[in-house]
Amino acid sequence: MSIEIAQHKLTEYRQKLDDHIAQYVAQEAERTARQYGELGAALTSPFAALLQNGGKRLRGALTMHAYAMFGGTDDQLVVRAARIVEMIHTYLLIVDDIADQSALRRGQPSAYRAIADFHQAQKLHGSSQHYGESQAVNSALAGLHKALADLGTLPIDDTRKLEAMNSLNEAIGMTVQGQVFDLYYQAQQDASESAVRDTLTLKTAYYSFLQPLEFGAILAGADTSEHSWLSNFARHIGLSFQITDDILGTFGTEFDSGKSALDDLREG
């Protein structure tokens, strides 16, 4: 596949996903307001705002492409599945921004900073920073568990559904371990090349590449154990992706990356 065709397909997938997510966010905002009131809707809205605020939609697009590549034909099913993958990504971004103390995400205030600003504007009691971080975690967890609940409603047989859920949860677990190592090496201020490589593999390669590809393949009915090349491909391209992202984050502009170029320098 040429770069031009790949870019065209990514744009096509992204447009379908953006349209679906916009509709989903509006429906969820109404449901949350009915069930928990306007305050409940307001305090979980940072997750919805970040989910709707675009990004590359790379993970959702990989899910959709793998589904088609392995013979899947249900467009409505796969766009719902791709949205679930993007919801997991949003959950991880909110937590990551707190861990990295990032003020910006996709050109907008990070979720915890937006909620801290709400605390200040409302003149609420206590620390705005603590409130912002705590409520952002709550918003992220609400989004994560809604994504997992939505996975349970996908119209596929129970065997595939269980396999898809196991794949998703395994990737989340690996990503969390990558973040644990990342924070430790920042605090230690020393890490070997192999430690950095292992951390980036856990933190990025699995959930950004392998899991979306596996997810799409599973939904299409493929036996992923027969396609070991997926894992090898995902690990290598995941490392390349994260290294490129880190270079852009350090030497690019806020317009390029959507966050401050000082974030990685502050982390050391």
Side-chain angles (χ1 to χ4, degrees):
M1 180 184 291
S2 69
I3 294 295
E4 291 77 14
I5 294 175
Q7 288 175 334
H8 175 75
K9 293 298 292 184
L10 180 60
T11 300
E12 177 186 330
Y13 292 140
R14 180 176 179 175
Q15 187 59 60
K16 288 180 179 179
L17 196 45
D18 280 345
D19 291 345
H20 171 71
I21 286 175
Q23 184 179 30
Y24 176 83
V25 165
Q27 292 172 347
E28 279 302 298
E30 292 180 7
R31 182 192 66 80
T32 304
R34 285 196 309 270
Q35 189 168 356
Y36 301 107
E38 293 299 329
L39 181 60
L43 291 177
T44 55
S45 64
F47 180 93
L50 184 57
L51 174 64
Q52 194 167 1
N53 189 19
K56 294 178 284 291
R57 301 290 191 219
L58 176 63
R59 295 151 190 86
L62 286 173
T63 300
M64 297 170 78
H65 192 66
Y67 179 75
M69 184 170 67
F70 284 97
T73 58
D74 189 337
D75 288 343
Q76 291 186 338
L77 167 67
V78 75
V79 77
R80 288 171 61 186
R83 185 251 304 155
I84 289 168
V85 170
E86 289 291 322
M87 289 173 73
I88 299 297
H89 180 47
T90 300
Y91 150 73
L92 290 168
L93 289 181
I94 290 175
V95 176
D96 188 58
D97 284 341
I98 296 171
D100 293 344
Q101 302 178 64
S102 298
L104 293 175
R105 173 64 67 177
R106 295 175 180 166
Q108 302 293 326
S110 299
Y112 79 96
R113 291 295 293 266
I115 299 174
D117 290 343
F118 169 83
H119 181 277
Q120 287 184 321
Q122 294 289 316
K123 295 183 171 55
L124 300 176
H125 178 72
S127 164
S128 294
Q129 178 177 343
H130 174 71
Y131 184 86
E133 291 173 352
S134 300
Q135 293 288 35
V137 169
N138 286 332
S139 181
L141 286 172
L144 166 65
H145 290 291
K146 186 64 173 70
L148 295 176
D150 287 350
L151 174 55
T153 67
L154 290 180
I156 55 177
D157 65 75
D158 289 344
T159 300
R160 276 191 295 163
K161 192 176 294 184
L162 181 60
E163 187 179 355
M165 189 164 291
N166 287 340
S167 171
L168 190 58
N169 281 308
E170 183 178 7
I172 294 170
M174 288 180 174
T175 306
V176 170
Q177 286 296 324
Q179 185 72 340
V180 167
F181 291 142
D182 191 19
L183 289 170
Y184 172 76
Y185 290 128
Q186 288 174 40
Q188 188 190 45
Q189 289 287 286
D190 184 33
S192 66
E193 181 180 338
S194 62
V196 172
R197 183 173 59 249
D198 291 345
T199 298
L200 297 185
T201 299
L202 286 169
K203 188 175 176 181
T204 299
Y206 282 95
Y207 106 91
S208 290
F209 290 91
L210 180 57
Q211 194 282 320
L213 290 168
E214 275 194 348
F215 199 48
I218 290 167
L219 293 173
D223 183 355
T224 55
S225 66
E226 297 179 357
H227 301 281
S228 58
W229 60 269
L230 270 179
S231 179
N232 191 45
F233 169 79
R235 284 198 302 272
H236 285 87
I237 199 170
L239 277 172
S240 300
F241 175 85
Q242 187 60 58
I243 291 168
T244 303
D245 188 65
D246 287 345
I247 292 171
L248 179 62
T250 302
F251 299 105
T253 66
E254 290 184 7
F255 176 79
D256 293 325
S257 64
K259 56 184 180 180
S260 173
L262 298 176
D263 286 349
D264 288 343
L265 295 177
R266 290 192 191 101
E267 291 176 29

